Amino acid sequence: MRTWEFEQRPVIVSTGTVGGPFEANGRLADDFDTLHDDLWLNEATYEKAHKVLFEEASLRALEKAGITKEQVDFFIGGDLINQITPTSFTAKTIGAGYFGLFGACSTSMEGLALSAFIINNGGAACIVTGSASHNAAVEKQFRYPTEYGAQKPPTSQWTVTGAGASVVMAQGEGPVVTSATIGKVVDMGLTDPMNMGGAMAPAAVDTIETHFRDRKIDASHYDLIATGDLGHIGREVAFDLLKKHGTDIPEEKFQDCGLLIYREDQPVLAGASGAGCSAVVTYGHLLNRMKKGELRRILIVATGALLSPLTFQQGETIPCIAHAVSIEYGGGNL
Amino acid sequence: MANNKKKNLTPIQQEYQQFQSEREVKRPVVKNCIKAFFVGGLICLIGQFIQTFFIYNFNFTEQTAGNPTVAVMIFIAMLLTGFGVYDRLAQFAGAGSAVPVTGFGNAVISAAIEHRSEGFILGVGGNMFKLAGSVIMSGVFAAFIVALIKTLLIQWGAL
């Protein structure tokens, strides 16, 4: 069994989302707490700006919940930079017990699943969890220099500049985390780092099917199933693969965070990606829709490609993972 | 090559890769080639104008005008890179903006800008040629091989 059911119903009491200039022009601009019009965020380096993104999102979430840093038991988060330094600096600012995660773009739900599990079992009363990515800092590490003129293929994705954090507590008002399915590494032998959607799709399919099987439910249980950041190609592949396996999900219910965040006319090729992508879309847009009553039960399946620049240069395949967390709001029972 | 790689894959992996490949959006190779041809040609045309300008207005000959022309072209590439335009041009032009000397300039300059935050010695100095280094290496090696062949042909009296 890779699925946890949370009988104590841990609550997401508040969230904080911060985005950059590209996100401000996107479709979900209204769902951000803070938007910056400068990629540098008044810092000397992109890495420092990355840290500030995460700090702002975490502090904003605490402020909205009316909680001080001293009341936080644990901070659980991650990002894509080597040794997850932006997260560790954020942890220093918050000053709580700290778990640093690396799950690439699946980190948001890995953190939420662990937070809910710890709270459900009485291990803490208040946890801050989240993830972040910064377009220029991540591109610098994984691809080419920002200003280098390399033509990207239509399968490549745009790294989100953004951070999403949430405050998870044992008691309070807000959407509740009802269950989580922890993903296993799925590697279909793909090696193209410019087509991560295609590599990650089988991991998302595996986690969704495991979730349904473990909880003995089907797609009709949810109003929305949102994958992390598969993009156009990955989403289509995952949808067709689920259909082939006999898991039917109505097309309009099967969304992707990487496709929700930007407008069609933004030059993002196959869609968005990055550790901040599923975090800002879930903690901003999707939870706002739940609070408006448009959605009651959702399943977020954050997908991650666990490659490094070193492994793909050495010709290794791309190991992928997906973590699913179900969130409910508004008088529902488990 | 492709078949060799496939040998290490399980049948499930092979089946999935086939499945994925059918849904993957391919690079529009013909369209990219046409765009590269015209943008690359346009960059060369600008270079030709500059060279002609140097020959007619200063004391340069066709042989000596090359160096100032290249310097001007790289200077323009530097400005475009610094203002964040060159990478956008490249997304449209592909090889058209990568192959001319301006592409080489862009590779050096973008790396220098990118790693300025790590300081002048380890950052700029250490990383400036991280993309262009392989171009220089290939160029020097290719020149060596060609020179070797020429020398041997002269020795054997073929030339």
Side-chain angles (χ1 to χ4, degrees):
Chain A
M1 267 293 258
R2 287 191 270 136
T3 303
W4 291 327
E5 302 263 359
F6 304 125
E7 299 82 8
Q8 305 302 319
R9 300 170 74 82
V11 187
I12 302 173
V13 293
S14 72
T15 59
T17 48
V18 181
F22 204 69
E23 289 64 34
N25 288 323
R27 197 182 290 166
L28 306 182
D30 293 341
D31 288 310
F32 283 89
D33 291 312
T34 313
L35 284 165
H36 290 274
D37 56 7
D38 174 26
L39 206 53
W40 294 92
L41 276 71
N42 298 322
E43 295 294 322
T45 71
Y46 287 136
E47 287 74 13
K48 283 181 185 162
H50 190 332
K51 175 197 82 172
V52 171
L53 275 178
F54 207 171
E55 274 178 0
E56 281 185 359
S58 306
L59 296 177
R60 186 86 179 96
L62 285 173
E63 186 192 319
K64 277 160 79 179
I67 285 172
T68 62
K69 286 192 280 186
E70 290 69 34
Q71 288 170 273
V72 179
D73 297 315
F74 296 108
F75 172 69
I76 303 177
D79 58 77
L80 292 165
I81 301 300
N82 284 338
Q83 289 81 38
I84 58 167
T85 45
T87 307
S88 299
F89 284 121
T90 306
K92 182 177 87 174
T93 306
I94 292 177
Y98 166 49
F99 291 105
L101 306 178
F102 183 81
C105 311
S106 73
T107 308
S108 58
M109 289 306 120
E110 186 180 357
L112 186 59
L114 283 170
S115 305
F117 183 80
I118 293 170
I119 286 180
N120 190 58
N121 291 285
C126 177
I127 296 178
V128 174
T129 183
S131 60
S133 54
H134 186 290
N135 179 284
V138 172
E139 294 277 319
K140 176 178 178 176
Q141 183 181 309
F142 280 88
R143 310 242 156 78
Y144 299 114
T146 332
E147 299 303 334
Y148 177 60
Q151 194 175 39
K152 290 176 182 165
T155 50
S156 72
Q157 289 170 265
W158 178 278
T159 307
V160 167
T161 302
S166 66
V167 178
V168 187
M169 294 181 76
Q171 257 111 39
E173 275 297 304
V176 295
V177 184
T178 50
S179 72
T181 300
I182 304 303
K184 64 174 184 185
V185 171
V186 176
D187 186 339
M188 283 298 177
L190 274 83
T191 51
D192 182 5
M194 292 290 191
N195 178 19
M196 299 209 290
M200 294 190 294
V205 169
D206 175 76
T207 300
I208 292 169
E209 286 171 349
T210 306
H211 182 80
F212 287 170
R213 200 166 50 239
D214 287 353
R215 290 194 80 193
K216 298 179 185 66
I217 54 172
D218 58 24
S220 65
H221 186 80
Y222 294 108
D223 300 322
L224 179 77
I225 295 167
T227 48
D229 39 23
L230 294 176
H232 282 294
I233 292 141
R235 179 182 170 272
E236 195 193 325
V237 171
F239 184 75
D240 291 348
L241 202 58
L242 282 163
K243 204 187 259 176
K244 194 176 150 197
H245 292 182
T247 311
D248 266 326
I249 301 179
E251 177 122 39
E252 70 282 358
K253 242 189 218 186
F254 190 64
Q255 303 274 345
D256 184 66
C257 296
L259 296 175
L260 288 169
I261 185 165
Y262 297 125
R263 287 196 321 269
E264 281 296 316
D265 57 349
Q266 284 180 295
V268 296
L269 300 163
S273 70
C277 178
S278 55
V280 295
V281 174
T282 305
Y283 294 146
H285 177 66
L286 294 177
L287 290 195
N288 284 348
R289 283 186 66 191
M290 292 189 99
K291 285 169 189 165
K292 279 185 219 154
E294 292 171 26
L295 300 167
R296 224 166 64 84
R297 289 187 184 136
I298 61 170
L299 181 71
I300 313 293
V301 188
T303 49
L306 307 173
L307 79 171
S308 83
L310 200 73
T311 57
F312 83 73
Q313 279 169 11
Q314 293 178 349
E316 292 262 25
T317 54
I318 305 174
C320 296
I321 198 160
H323 301 294
V325 175
S326 65
I327 304 171
E328 273 181 32
Y329 187 65
N333 41 8
L334 228 96
Chain B
M1 176 69 193
N3 283 332
N4 270 343
K5 265 166 91 183
K6 282 218 167 125
K7 272 182 196 161
N8 300 323
L9 296 173
T10 64
I12 296 171
Q13 285 178 323
Q14 288 187 27
E15 192 192 328
Y16 174 72
Q17 294 203 356
Q18 178 67 30
F19 188 84
Q20 196 279 136
S21 168
E22 285 162 13
R23 285 155 184 83
E24 188 182 320
V25 181
K26 301 287 184 293
R27 279 176 188 263
V29 177
V30 176
K31 205 170 111 191
N32 283 352
C33 285
I34 294 168
K35 287 197 282 191
F37 179 80
F38 281 103
V39 177
L42 186 69
I43 292 174
C44 295
L45 185 69
I46 295 168
Q48 188 58 57
F49 272 122
I50 293 169
Q51 190 182 25
T52 312
F53 173 83
F54 276 120
I55 293 170
Y56 277 87
N57 293 286
F58 300 95
N59 281 331
F60 285 106
T61 64
E62 218 167 285
Q63 280 75 40
T64 57
N67 286 340
T69 306
V70 167
V72 170
M73 290 306 281
I74 288 181
F75 189 79
I76 295 170
M78 180 184 78
L79 290 180
L80 292 177
T81 304
F83 287 121
V85 181
Y86 205 88
D87 58 327
R88 290 179 199 188
L89 172 72
Q91 182 60 36
F92 175 81
S97 63
V99 174
V101 72
T102 50
F104 181 80
N106 167 255
V108 177
I109 294 149
S110 63
I113 295 171
E114 186 88 346
H115 293 281
R116 170 66 187 87
S117 61
E118 288 97 81
F120 279 117
I121 307 293
L122 293 176
V124 177
N127 291 294
M128 205 166 172
F129 291 101
K130 79 171 184 182
L131 293 169
S134 58
V135 181
I136 296 173
M137 193 281 294
S138 310
V140 170
F141 183 69
F144 173 73
I145 296 291
V146 171
L148 202 65
I149 293 169
K150 189 185 172 188
T151 310
L152 287 176
L153 288 177
I154 289 169
Q155 287 294 316
W156 292 333
L159 280 177

